[in-house]
Every structure is written in structure tokens, then in C-alpha cells.
């Protein structure tokens, strides 16, 4: 329960943080809220010799509108997401999801950037980012680049982020006013990671689904974008038969582990149940 020895660094700019990470190579690791990394270090599953704490970098914090996008600094905490008026108005699924992550103590420190950069399929925000069509802004020694969330996740704890890069911000195209949304999560108890969860963002036009994007949490090595399921629903009035087909399409792309949250077949079925609930709630909320 005690981490290995490490040196602690606290830069005050992205440039300095990137410089330190480049200098340390495999011996360095970015530290955000520490609520995934420090437990891993205590279990000695991670043993970085240098921690580069991003907490002193003001430019990584805060939320702003940028044209039709909302840009959220990577060090914005889950607690900040819940309290943001801008996000409550424009992207309310972020508040709904944050409220289902862990408990207030974790949310006071845990950051959006850490949650999406971590690569743990149990993290809740990645599936929401897939449904929202978010883009991640990364900065490294070679400069800045942007990667679509839908292309970011490659395996458990394996992402498109290169060694020495820092995630600086998450850019989200604000869904149209009147969109429907829901994040439905099955967990064993308050504060637990998902047995299965589903994020839905949809728009309606004259009683028919005009667009529908679906993300799934913790039912594969990566968060899943259930593209075929979303497409099946477009043009429908979300009648029971079409929803059943879409849910089957979503279940078909899952490949969960059998673990203490249940056997694989059960977790797949629970992903379907969460998706059915999320679709109904998103439909009820859509204008
Ligand atoms: C009891 C408990 C329950 C929890 N339950 C849930 C839950 O239900 N759902 C959920 O989603 N999460 C849960 N978490 C995890 C929590 O949300 C973490 O805060 C989050 O996963 C990681 O964010 P962090 O800011 O703490 O990142 P850290 O732990 O500091 O970092 C995590 C990883 O991301 C990297 N990293 C962080 N920020 C950046 C960046 N800006 N650029 C590059 N790399 C970066 C780090 O190097 C590290 O590898 C739980 C944690 C605890 C302790």
C-alpha cells in the first residue's frame, strides 16, 4: 500500500511539463487528480520514477465556448463539471455522468482529462465522449495535434497518446438545443465502476429520430462506439421492434470480461438493458 520512491515535479506551464516528460521518457508520468494513478502506484502496478504534477498549470483549467464547440481544460475536475452553468445549458449529459462517478471526495480531485486519458475501460467519460463526437487536444515536443475520441482508444490502458504528450483540452461540438441525452449505469453499489453503462445523444424531428450516437462503458477492452445501433434507429419513432434490433446490434459488439461484476453474458445483457433505458430517457427529454 506504499508507492515506490519517486521525484515530484510541479511545472507551471504546458511547455515546461512537456519538456520534463520528454526529459524523463519512460521514467516520467503526468499526474492529474491522482485518483487512478496513485492507487496503481500503491499496488506497485505503476512505478514511475518522476511524477509531473499538472495541478499548477492554470491554462489546463476551466470551460469555455468556442463557436459551436465547448472546450474543457484537461484539469477541470468532475466536481467542476457538475457545477458549470455552461455545461448544464449546453451538454447536460456531462453533469449526469459526473454525478455517477465515485463519490464527492473522488470528484473533487479527479479530472476530466485524467478520466479520458487513463484508458481504463471502466472509466465513465470515454463512452460519453464517443457519443458526443469529442476531440482530444494533445501537446508534445513536436507540437499540438487533435485526435477524435472515436480513434483514441486502442486497448485496455492503451491509447493514441504518445509518450511525452499531455492532453490539454477536450473539445466537444455542442449538441443542438432540444437534443435528448442520457447516461444509464448499472453498478453494484454507490461509488462503483460500471457493470455496464450506456450513453445516448439523440435528436428528433417530427417524431422520428434524426440522429443518434451511442457509447458503451466497461463491456470490452475499450469504450465502444455503437455506430450500427445508432444508425438503425435513425428514421424510426423508437418503436419497440426497432429498439430491440438496435439493442441487439449494440450487444453484438461487446466483449466483456467475466469478473466479480458478473459473467460476460450477463454484462452484455446489462449493456442492452442500460441502452434500452438510456434511449427511453433521451427520447423523453428530446424536444
Ligand atoms: C474509489 C474510487 C472510485 C472510482 N470510481 C470511478 C467510477 O465509477 N467511474 C470513473 O470513471 N472513474 C472512477 N474512479 C476514477 C476517478 O474518476 C479518477 O479520478 C479518474 O479515472 C482519473 O482522473 P485523475 O485526474 O485522478 O487522473 P490520474 O489518476 O492523475 O491519472 C490517470 C492516468 O491518466 C494520465 N493523465 C492524467 N491526466 C493527463 C493529461 N492531462 N495528459 C496526459 N496524461 C494524463 C496519468 O499519467 C495516468 O496514467 C474512481 C476512483 C476511486 C479512487
Amino acid at each position: 500500500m506504499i508507492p515506490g520512491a519517486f521525484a515530484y515535479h510541479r511545472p507551471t506551464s504546458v511547455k515546461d511539463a512537456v519538456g520534463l516528460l520528454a526529459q524523463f521518457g519512460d521514467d516520467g508520468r503526468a499526474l492529474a487528480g491522482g485518483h487512478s494513478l496513485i492507487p496503481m502506484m500503491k499496488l506497485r502496478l505503476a512505478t514511475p520514477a518522476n511524477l509531473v504534477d499538472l495541478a499548477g498549470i492554470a491554462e489546463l483549467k476551466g470551460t469555455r465556448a468556442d463557436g459551436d464547440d465547448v472546450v474543457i481544460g484537461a484539469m477541470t475536475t468532475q466536481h467542476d463539471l457538475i457545477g458549470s452553468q455552461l455545461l448544464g445549458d449546453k451538454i447536460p449529459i456531462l453533469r449526469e455522468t459526473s454525478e455517477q462517478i465515485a463519490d464527492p471526495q473522488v470528484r473533487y480531485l479527479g479530472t476530466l482529462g485524467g478520466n479520458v486519458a487513463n484508458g481504463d475501460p471502466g472509466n465513465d467519460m470515454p463512452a460519453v465522449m464517443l457519443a458526443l463526437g469529442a476531440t482530444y487536444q494533445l501537446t508534445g515536443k513536436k507540437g499540438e495535434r487533435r485526435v477524435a475520441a472515436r480513434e483514441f482508444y486502442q486497448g485496455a490502458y492503451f491509447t493514441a497518446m504518445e509518450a511525452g504528450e499531455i492532453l490539454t483540452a477536450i473539445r466537444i461540438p455542442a449538441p443542438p438545443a432540444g437534443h435528448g441525452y442520457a447516461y444509464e449505469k448499472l453498478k453494484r453499489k454507490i461509488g462503483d465502476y460500471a457493470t455496464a453503462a450506456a450513453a445516448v445523444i439523440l435528436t428528433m424531428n417530427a417524431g422520428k429520430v434524426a440522429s443518434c450516437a451511442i457509447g458503451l462503458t466497461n463491456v470490452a477492452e475499450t469504450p465502444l462506439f455503437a455506430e450500427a445501433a445508432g444508425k438503425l434507429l435513425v428514421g424510426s419513432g423508437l418503436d419497440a421492434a426497432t429498439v430491440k434490433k438496435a439493442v441487439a446490434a449494440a450487444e453484438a459488439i461487446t466483449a466483456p470480461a467475466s469478473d466479480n461484476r458478473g459473467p460476460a453474458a450477463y454484462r452484455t445483457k446489462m449493456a442492452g438493458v442500460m441502452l434500452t433505458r438510456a434511449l427511453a430517457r433521451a427520447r423523453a427529454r428530446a424536444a
Side-chain angles (χ1 to χ4, degrees), residues 99-196:
E99 284 172 342
Q100 296 181 66
I101 293 178
D103 50 50
Q105 271 180 306
V106 172
R107 298 196 294 257
Y108 277 128
L109 283 173
T111 65
L112 178 61
N115 200 287
V116 302
N118 194 26
D120 181 343
N123 281 138
D124 288 294
M125 284 296 179
V128 176
M129 296 302 149
L130 300 183
L132 286 166
T135 302
Y136 299 157
Q137 295 182 192
L138 305 169
T139 299
K141 264 293 193 201
K142 291 184 219 153
E144 189 185 307
R145 66 187 181 113
R146 294 182 182 184
V147 179
R150 291 175 191 170
E151 287 161 18
F152 187 74
Y153 299 99
Q154 302 176 346
Y157 297 99
F158 185 54
T159 70
M161 199 159 59
E162 286 172 9
E165 277 186 323
I166 287 178
L167 172 68
T168 56
I170 296 93
R171 178 174 284 271
I172 303 171
H179 71 280
Y181 66 92
Y183 189 67
E184 284 282 346
K185 174 175 175 179
L186 177 68
K187 49 190 190 259
R188 295 169 301 179
K189 60 178 177 59
I190 292 291
D192 193 17
Y193 289 88
T195 300

Side-chain angles (χ1 to χ4, degrees), residues 29 47 59 61 69 83 101-102 137 141 153 180 188 202 208 224 249 261 274 287:
R29 194 92 170 250
T47 52
E59 62 195 286
K61 292 175 191 159
D69 292 347
I101 293 178
Q137 295 182 192
K141 264 293 193 201
Y153 299 99
R188 295 169 301 179
L202 60 73
K208 305 280 183 206
L224 297 174
R261 290 189 174 80
M274 292 304 109

Side-chain angles (χ1 to χ4, degrees), residues 17-83:
V18 166
L20 286 167
L21 286 170
Q23 179 190 329
F24 299 136
D26 287 344
D27 289 333
R29 194 92 170 250
L31 174 70
H35 272 59
S36 287
L37 183 54
I38 303 288
M40 298 279 269
M41 289 171 64
K42 286 184 167 181
L43 293 168
R44 305 280 173 126
L45 294 172
T47 52
N50 293 279
L51 280 188
V52 179
D53 190 351
L54 307 179
I57 307 178
E59 62 195 286
L60 294 179
K61 292 175 191 159
T63 300
R64 67 187 167 87
D66 181 19
D68 292 337
D69 292 347
V70 171
V71 181
I72 306 173
M75 288 298 286
T76 305
T77 65
Q78 294 150 10
H79 172 76
D80 293 336
L81 298 181
I82 293 171

